[in-house]
Amino acid sequence: MDPAAIVFDLDGVLVDSEQVWDEVRRAVVAERDGRWTDEATTAMQGMSTPEWARYLTTLGAAGSPDELARVVIEAMADRYREHVPLLPGAVDAVVALSGRWPLAVASSSPPDLIRVVLAAAGLTDRFRVTVSSEEVPRGKPAPDVYLAAATKLAADPAACVAVEDSANGLRAAAAAAMVVVAVPNPHFPPPAVPWWAIVGATGFSALVGMLFGILPARRAANLAPIDALRHE
């Protein structure tokens, strides 16, 4: 199977920002008299802005969800103005893959932060489509953001490849019926689930090689869980 398109997550895949989001949210909760929980970090991975902002209120953070979202996003923008922590090899991988396939971003970051990261990386023109979870009804692990990206690309989701790092993101891509390629986040690695096509420590060079060479062999391994995921 030659993919119709490749859809990238942003945080943890192209930019090493999952821990930055975690640090900022932890600080906001602490400053607003809330209490962080052990499961909070992984619970919020993939959530849309309205979803994680509501979640912060359940941790006891003072303020409305809208206010908490504004404070967190402003803090993230400040961090990005200082430095955008692009993952090694990410830019070269995108440049290489964009020469053969249409690319999209399907991210839980707000649209403004997506634009900041892609502009800083010089990759804005490499992606035909960007979709934020803010622009769809549900965040990850629901498939909405991936389905929206496929729709904007005029591509069949089942003919697309998704590149993800977190458990919620991988589940979202699988629920959208896409071929799932995992680039595990070293800070918050997902559990080892057999049907994922794990790239692992070899990083983006392995990702490019997989997509150009051995991807078709991985297709069958990705099909089995999709129906089950849709009905969870």
Side-chain angles (χ1 to χ4, degrees):
M1 181 200 78
D2 192 40
I6 300 173
V7 186
F8 283 83
D9 179 35
L10 185 72
D11 296 291
V13 172
L14 299 179
V15 60
D16 193 12
S17 55
E18 293 283 15
Q19 75 274 18
V20 181
W21 279 101
D22 194 56
E23 291 168 5
V24 167
R25 288 172 178 148
R26 283 175 183 264
V28 169
V29 168
E31 291 164 1
R32 290 170 172 263
D33 301 319
R35 184 174 181 179
W36 200 259
T37 63
D38 291 340
E39 64 272 12
T41 296
T42 53
M44 283 187 282
Q45 285 181 343
M47 284 186 179
S48 67
T49 300
E51 289 169 340
W52 61 250
R54 287 193 296 270
Y55 189 93
L56 293 183
T57 66
T58 71
L59 301 177
S64 68
D66 286 347
E67 180 184 1
L68 293 170
R70 178 183 57 77
V71 171
V72 169
I73 291 169
E74 286 178 355
M76 286 297 298
D78 288 342
R79 295 284 290 268
Y80 282 161
R81 276 191 282 270
E82 295 173 5
H83 173 61
V84 176
L86 294 167
L87 280 162
V91 172
D92 289 342
V94 168
V95 170
L97 295 172
S98 68
R100 177 166 175 180
W101 293 291
L103 304 186
V105 167
S107 173
S108 299
S109 282
D112 286 348
L113 291 185
I114 295 173
R115 286 190 284 269
V116 167
V117 170
L118 295 185
L123 295 176
T124 301
D125 294 339
R126 298 287 178 171
F127 290 94
R128 295 191 188 180
V129 166
T130 62
V131 183
S132 165
S133 290
E134 287 190 5
E135 301 169 310
V136 296
R138 300 172 298 173
K140 302 171 186 178
D144 302 25
V145 70
Y146 278 104
L147 294 174
T151 297
K152 287 189 174 185
L153 288 166
D156 178 359
C160 295
V161 173
V163 184
E164 266 285 0
D165 68 304
S166 69
N168 282 343
L170 289 159
R171 291 170 65 82
M178 293 187 179
V179 175
V180 181
V181 175
V183 183
N185 187 296
H187 306 286
F188 309 108
V193 179
W195 60 79
W196 296 348
I198 300 295
V199 175
T202 50
F204 280 101
S205 61
L207 172 63
V208 172
M210 177 181 291
L211 293 176
F212 273 98
I214 65 171
L215 178 64
R218 302 285 187 172
R219 177 59 177 165
N222 280 279
L223 292 176
I226 291 171
D227 287 340
L229 284 168
R230 283 173 171 167
H231 291 93
E232 285 188 0

